[in-house]
Amino acid sequence: MPAPEAAGDALLLVDLQVDYFADDELARCRHDVVAACNRLADAAHRHGVPVVEIRTEHEPDRSTWTLTMLEDDQGVVVRDTPGAQRAEGLEPGEADCVVKTRDSAFFGTDLGERLAALDVRRVVLCGVSTESCVAATARDAFAHDLQVVLVSDATASLDPDEHDHTLEMLRVQHRQQVRTADEVVAAWDGDAPEGS
């Protein structure tokens, strides 16, 4: 049975894949982000919180490529390539998988239905990149009437200032919580006041 603070939660791991850590800034922080995500997944499993690994996978024939990928004539996270594999060190344990082709994990997927079937009322979001796929998923979670916790040290961006700006914007505009991985784990463990 989930701990009281964990009841109704789901952990979403967004785009923790090789291609998304190719940039120097993201490569630099990959180890820390992945370690924070692993801590969150471990705690989620202890408390019965569903874990969903969200992966982007594009078709080699370009049929799912975004406009910018087509303009740049460059595919990323193409199915069955090394770049589409999990980021090194990521070990989420037992996790459902949702495959997407656009920034939001809700767009063109059954994520909303899966979460509703599990009676999820709040999603804990981590992954990359903060200002694109994480933010798009957070906005769509808001549109699905889900509360959101954004995990500041388990998300990352090409630009650290953009990371901070995006988290603050989502906190203010959608009243979404911003916590550290340790704060989320402490709340699930019952070591933090509810709502902290």
Side-chain angles (χ1 to χ4, degrees):
M1 181 172 183
E5 180 70 5
D9 282 1
L11 175 64
L12 306 186
L13 307 170
V14 180
D15 289 345
L16 295 162
Q17 295 166 266
V18 171
D19 273 353
Y20 289 123
F21 287 96
D23 175 84
D24 288 346
E25 174 59 23
L26 286 173
R28 181 192 65 73
C29 62
R30 177 191 54 78
H31 181 271
D32 291 339
V33 168
V34 168
C37 290
N38 286 339
R39 282 198 318 278
L40 287 162
D42 287 345
H45 291 305
R46 283 197 315 272
H47 294 292
V49 173
V51 178
V52 183
E53 183 179 5
I54 297 161
R55 303 166 55 89
T56 298
E57 288 185 6
H58 287 287
E59 295 300 322
D61 66 4
R62 300 171 173 240
S63 62
T64 62
W65 289 23
T66 66
L67 291 174
T68 52
M69 289 168 65
L70 291 168
E71 287 173 10
D72 296 344
D73 193 29
Q74 183 174 358
V76 293
V77 287
V78 174
R79 185 174 45 83
D80 297 330
T81 65
Q85 300 304 308
R86 275 184 184 157
E88 182 182 348
L90 180 65
E91 297 177 6
E94 186 176 330
D96 283 336
C97 186
V98 169
V99 176
K100 66 183 180 72
T101 60
R102 292 298 183 269
D103 285 358
S104 172
F106 290 92
F107 183 85
T109 74
D110 66 349
L111 178 61
E113 291 81 2
R114 289 190 197 198
L115 296 177
L118 294 168
D119 196 28
V120 170
R121 297 177 300 282
R122 181 172 71 172
V123 293
V124 177
L125 273 178
C126 49
V128 294
S129 289
T130 312
E131 76 283 2
S132 55
C133 296
V134 172
T137 300
R139 287 187 189 98
D140 278 358
F142 177 81
H144 280 80
D145 298 323
L146 293 166
Q147 295 179 345
V148 174
V149 175
L150 299 146
V151 187
S152 58
D153 55 344
T155 52
S157 172
L158 298 172
D159 179 346
D161 291 335
E162 189 67 23
H163 167 81
D164 294 339
H165 169 78
T166 301
L167 293 179
E168 179 62 10
M169 181 272 299
L170 291 166
R171 187 190 68 76
V172 172
Q173 185 175 3
H174 296 308
R175 301 178 190 171
Q176 294 176 339
Q177 295 179 17
V178 178
R179 293 184 178 178
T180 65
D182 286 344
E183 289 170 338
V184 172
V185 171
W188 283 344
D189 286 343
D191 296 334
E194 189 168 325
S196 68

